[in-house]
Amino acid sequence: MKLNRRGILFVLSSPSGAGKSSIAKKILNKDENIRLSISYTTRKKRKDEVKGKDYNYISIKEFKEKIKSNYFLEWAKVFDNYYGTPRNLVQKKISNGIDVLFDIDWQGTQQLSENDGFDLVSIFILPPSKKVLETRLKTIAQDTTLEVRKRMSQASDEISHYMEYSYVIVNNDLENASNQVLNILNAERLKRKRLIDLNDFIKFLRSWGLKFFIKYI
Ligand code: 5GP
């Protein structure tokens, strides 16, 4: 017997370079019942990114039109670019019991948590040190020196929002941090409040005892 449940909005946030996108990739590879919410952005595509897989890349004009037409579930300006989550796909997935993974910043997380209709679990990923963060930004993010400097100064602002999240993980080791995220995901899935058929299942289980009792009196 498999108990049904609604999908969870599973949010990962961190300062840029803390490893959240690598963790997200591991989760998506290891867990079949979660899908990535693919955002729209006005920033340029990086060399290793794939259009439609990492982001949908659009112009500022197109982005503003989508804001007007209420296309986004949440959106924010991060650094000098706009980022937004398309509403329709997320709603479809969670109503089919599929969990959705979000790689978004604290502003987006705040907007999602203000929406009562959603079941949100949020995790904040921290880098192990400032030095590691800087190195990751330089080597992995392929950003220009100016961009790295800007992102380093924004990192401390982003980190100040850690208290708004249910869980905090220090990403010392990618494999270890990903397993911790998976453990949280699996435990949250089992929470009683999320099992929508549980009452019926319990009634069914208890009815066996009643039938047995009636038969033998
Ligand atoms: P990056 O340019 O490094 O891919 O992302 C910059 C920041 O924007 C990251 O913190 C990332 O999580 C955040 N971000 C990406 N997509 C979205 C989105 O749809 N909404 C919000 N609010 N933030 C996003």
Side-chain angles (χ1 to χ4, degrees):
M1 166 83 191
K2 187 176 176 288
L3 293 170
N4 288 321
R5 54 176 188 84
R6 275 183 314 137
I8 303 171
L9 272 61
F10 204 66
V11 175
L12 296 182
S13 294
S14 74
S16 181
K20 143 195 69 164
S21 303
S22 310
I23 293 176
K25 278 188 188 135
K26 288 244 171 212
I27 303 302
L28 294 164
N29 281 338
K30 287 184 180 185
D31 193 297
E32 282 185 350
N33 200 41
I34 193 159
R35 303 281 183 279
L36 181 68
S37 162
I38 299 167
S39 301
Y40 282 75
T41 183
T42 60
R43 90 148 157 72
K44 287 203 185 86
K45 187 173 95 55
R46 293 188 187 126
K47 274 183 227 147
D48 58 344
E49 289 179 341
V50 179
K51 189 178 154 194
K53 196 164 172 253
D54 293 289
Y55 283 108
N56 295 298
Y57 305 89
I58 57 173
S59 67
I60 296 181
K61 186 170 173 279
E62 286 171 307
F63 197 96
K64 289 191 171 163
E65 280 164 8
K66 287 194 186 299
I67 296 175
K68 262 196 205 146
S69 65
N70 206 22
Y71 185 78
F72 296 123
L73 197 55
E74 63 74 34
W75 65 271
K77 195 171 183 192
V78 188
F79 311 115
D80 294 327
N81 302 305
Y82 289 93
Y83 297 82
T85 300
R87 181 187 301 276
N88 52 357
L89 243 120
V90 174
Q91 278 172 337
K92 207 166 147 196
K93 294 256 182 316
I94 53 170
S95 57
N96 288 330
I98 295 170
D99 302 318
V100 182
L101 183 66
F102 294 82
D103 172 342
I104 59 174
D105 82 328
W106 64 271
Q107 303 173 80
T109 311
Q110 274 188 358
Q111 291 170 50
L112 293 183
S113 48
E114 279 158 14
N115 191 328
D116 287 340
F118 291 130
D119 192 5
L120 193 90
V121 174
S122 60
I123 303 184
F124 199 83
I125 313 285
L126 288 172
S129 69
K130 202 173 147 192
K131 196 161 171 37
V132 169
L133 183 68
E134 198 171 3
T135 312
R136 282 189 192 153
L137 276 180
K138 278 183 192 156
T139 55
I140 305 165
Q142 302 166 7
D143 288 319
T144 62
T145 315
L146 181 68
E147 190 71 9
V148 171
R149 243 185 257 153
K150 243 198 245 169
R151 286 182 182 231
M152 277 305 285
S153 81
Q154 302 251 1
S156 88
D157 287 349
E158 181 87 32
I159 287 173
S160 72
H161 291 275
Y162 76 97
M163 295 229 308
E164 294 156 27
Y165 290 74
S166 314
Y167 299 92
V168 174
I169 289 176
V170 178
N171 182 15
N172 272 312
D173 170 79
L174 178 61
E175 194 61 30
N176 197 22
S178 311
N179 285 337
Q180 286 175 334
V181 173
L182 271 178
N183 290 343
I184 294 168
L185 176 60
N186 285 325
E188 289 285 346
R189 281 172 171 161
L190 294 174
K191 277 202 168 156
R192 179 164 49 84
K193 67 169 190 180
R194 301 212 160 96
L195 305 174
I196 48 185
D197 299 336
L198 186 61
N199 276 351
D200 290 343
F201 182 56
I202 296 292
K203 262 189 217 154
F204 167 74
L205 282 181
R206 296 189 71 202
S207 71
W208 281 100
L210 191 63
K211 277 182 199 153
F212 185 82
F213 180 70
I214 292 168
K215 195 172 170 186
Y216 290 97
I217 52 170

